[in-house]
Amino acid sequence: MGSLLSIFPLWMVGLWLLACIGLCVHAVRTGREMFWLWIILVFQPIGALVYVVAILLPEQLRGAGAQRLGAAAREALDPGREYREARQAVEETPTVRNQSRLAHAAAALGRFDEAERLYAEAAHGIHADDPALLLGRANALLELGRGDEAVATLERLTAEPEGHTPAATLAFGRAYDAVGRAAEAETFLRDAAERVPGFEGMARLAAFLRRHGRRAEAQEIVADIDRRMTKLRGPFRKEAHHWRELAARDG
């Protein structure tokens, strides 16, 4: 408070405090977690601005871009929130949909053993060949280094339209690479590099080429990533940097 008074006149500080109180009232009335009150009141002025970006703007604009921005801000502040909510949903109503949601949240936290088990448990009965469950499980298996099982899981998708989506194409490329089927892996990874949104497909292809001694080709992809990254800001740039590091990494 003292720092605010030293910079702004008293009436502006008063308006700011009223605005912060208004944000606190909004947080309580809309059922937000109580840690938002702490963020708003203690970490001024950043806390109030974070609340506006993470909560108010997505509510007011309702656009896809604003919602993604809000979700990214909430995830940065409380990365385990989705997992906790998904786990509670499973405990209350253990449907296949809720199990799939929990498996996805577990994978996002790097809990791949749990994710793989949840996907496997959900894929029973009429859901045994559910494409989303098969793809989710295959990706978890890849992270666990179980390439043979990932290939077997993915190849159950080939007769389905979902087996040809960008995400499935990327998973096929990774799986075939994991079991040494390099020619097939390259075909799928090149397709994924063109079709998967963001930089993961490009990075996975560059890493594949680098591992197979084709460093010049890999470096061309890294340079392309660098050019595209200059146009990004905020959380999107952070994610892109992660994939750029993978693309440029030796070994």
Side-chain angles (χ1 to χ4, degrees), residues 120-149:
E121 290 176 356
H124 64 273
I126 62 172
H127 300 285
D129 293 315
D130 183 289
L133 298 178
L134 292 174
L135 180 57
R137 187 184 180 203
N139 282 321
L141 288 166
L142 286 169
E143 297 297 339
L144 294 170
R146 294 157 61 182
D148 288 329
E149 293 176 75

Side-chain angles (χ1 to χ4, degrees), residues 29-235:
R29 287 184 174 178
T30 55
R32 306 295 173 185
E33 293 86 347
M34 288 300 99
F35 69 76
W36 280 113
L37 301 181
W38 177 264
I39 290 172
I40 293 168
L41 294 175
V42 175
F43 298 101
Q44 295 186 30
I46 301 301
L49 294 176
V50 168
Y51 185 84
V52 169
V53 171
I55 304 297
L56 283 185
L57 283 181
E59 281 188 356
Q60 297 300 316
L61 300 179
R62 296 296 182 189
Q67 290 176 2
R68 285 196 300 271
L69 184 60
R74 289 192 295 272
E75 183 66 17
L77 288 167
D78 186 11
R81 174 183 176 180
E82 171 61 13
Y83 177 84
R84 293 194 305 273
E85 292 181 352
R87 184 172 182 176
Q88 182 178 354
V90 168
E91 291 172 353
E92 294 174 354
T93 313
T95 62
V96 168
R97 180 178 180 180
N98 285 340
Q99 283 181 293
S100 178
R101 178 188 174 191
L102 179 58
H104 181 80
L109 293 176
R111 302 165 75 157
F112 300 111
D113 280 308
E114 180 180 1
E116 191 274 328
R117 175 179 56 79
L118 287 165
Y119 279 124
E121 290 176 356
H124 64 273
I126 62 172
H127 300 285
D129 293 315
D130 183 289
L133 298 178
L134 292 174
L135 180 57
R137 187 184 180 203
N139 282 321
L141 288 166
L142 286 169
E143 297 297 339
L144 294 170
R146 294 157 61 182
D148 288 329
E149 293 176 75
V151 169
T153 300
L154 286 168
E155 288 185 341
R156 292 167 60 187
L157 278 173
T158 53
E160 303 292 335
E162 291 84 351
H164 305 281
T165 63
T169 298
L170 178 61
F172 270 109
R174 294 181 62 198
Y176 288 139
D177 183 27
V179 297
R181 294 164 61 173
E184 292 164 286
E186 182 173 353
T187 297
F188 279 94
L189 289 173
R190 286 195 178 280
D191 190 12
E194 296 182 359
R195 298 172 59 206
V196 173
F199 295 92
E200 183 178 2
M202 299 172 66
R204 299 279 186 195
L205 175 60
F208 169 85
L209 294 170
R210 193 177 295 275
R211 286 196 304 275
H212 286 78
R214 297 157 65 179
R215 298 175 61 85
E217 294 176 73
Q219 194 54 41
E220 288 180 9
I221 297 174
V222 173
D224 190 15
I225 293 175
D226 286 338
R227 285 192 294 271
R228 299 187 189 197
M229 282 180 61
T230 60
K231 302 176 182 179
L232 300 178
R233 295 293 182 272

